[in-house]
Amino acid sequence: MDTNKRFLVGVYDDDDEVMAAVKTVRASGIKIHDVYTPFPVHGLDKAIGHARTRIPVVAFMFGTLGLITMFVFTYYTMRLDWPMNIGGKDFYALPDFIPPMFEFTVLFTAFGMVFTFFITNGLWWGNKAVIFDLRSTDDKFVMAIDTASNQKSEAEIEKALRETGAIEINVKEIVEEED
């Protein structure tokens, strides 16, 4: 079964214009799907209404997993499985294993964050990118509004986009194929 999504896409010339437009459009009760910009615009995520990211918490959890994994591995290997007396030291001399534990912490964090990025952004094999306007990677700022998730009509949304300085308004229909 296929599902169609219909978006109104407003194109802007300037980052200050799009920031003011986002605030005005949201204040009028219109829900914004997303805003695409050629460079990061400070404060845009808060203006759209995105919640604060939990990426640091996830990174800490991956790092902790790496540290615990290496601690258990070295402890099991040097204390339980194959204890060796090296230079009269204890079977498990913790300071000797701090560098590998640090390296595993960094390794698990790096790989974990890469996989988290791909999963949370829907970037997996066979997934097609949704591009609202190709110029959003070059010099234009694009605001996409899902018409189905808003209480206002397309005419009201289009009027709001025009009043906020959109130089162009397009309709983009996206067909999502469900398995």
Side-chain angles (χ1 to χ4, degrees):
M1 181 170 134
D2 295 343
T3 58
N4 293 338
K5 287 192 175 186
R6 188 175 171 92
F7 292 90
L8 277 177
V9 179
V11 181
Y12 295 85
D13 270 335
D14 187 48
D15 58 334
D16 293 330
E17 280 182 13
V18 80
M19 181 66 90
V22 164
K23 291 176 183 175
T24 305
V25 167
R26 282 203 65 219
S28 68
I30 298 171
K31 185 177 181 245
I32 299 171
H33 173 71
D34 211 345
V35 177
Y36 301 92
T37 63
F39 55 83
V41 178
H42 180 71
L44 188 60
D45 54 341
K46 289 181 184 175
I48 295 173
H50 284 246
R52 188 168 185 263
T53 181
R54 294 184 301 264
I55 292 288
V57 174
V58 175
F60 178 78
M61 290 172 28
F62 278 119
T64 304
L65 178 66
L67 179 71
I68 291 170
T69 301
M70 193 59 179
F71 176 80
V72 168
F73 176 72
T74 56
Y75 186 84
Y76 171 76
T77 304
M78 298 303 290
R79 184 81 179 192
L80 303 174
D81 186 41
W82 197 266
M84 291 186 285
N85 187 346
I86 301 170
K89 295 180 188 174
D90 186 22
F91 288 124
Y92 187 77
L94 184 63
D96 295 340
F97 299 108
I98 288 177
M101 285 184 211
F102 171 76
E103 293 298 329
F104 254 62
T105 301
V106 173
L107 181 75
F108 272 55
T109 303
F111 278 104
M113 294 312 299
V114 167
F115 292 127
T116 300
F117 174 79
F118 284 126
I119 290 168
T120 58
N121 289 305
L123 301 172
W124 49 79
W125 294 276
N127 194 18
K128 293 185 171 74
V130 176
I131 300 172
F132 289 100
D133 195 312
L134 285 173
R135 296 172 294 175
S136 67
T137 60
D138 188 23
D139 63 345
K140 300 294 183 203
F141 300 84
V142 176
M143 182 188 310
I145 299 174
D146 187 1
T147 57
S149 67
N150 280 292
Q151 302 297 329
K152 300 198 179 220
S153 68
E154 282 190 33
E156 290 174 312
I157 295 171
E158 187 173 339
K159 181 182 176 207
L161 290 174
R162 287 210 190 283
E163 288 174 354
T164 57
I167 59 170
E168 188 179 313
I169 298 173
N170 302 315
V171 175
K172 176 87 173 185
E173 290 196 32
I174 298 171
V175 178
E176 292 181 352
E177 296 176 8
E178 294 180 8
D179 294 329

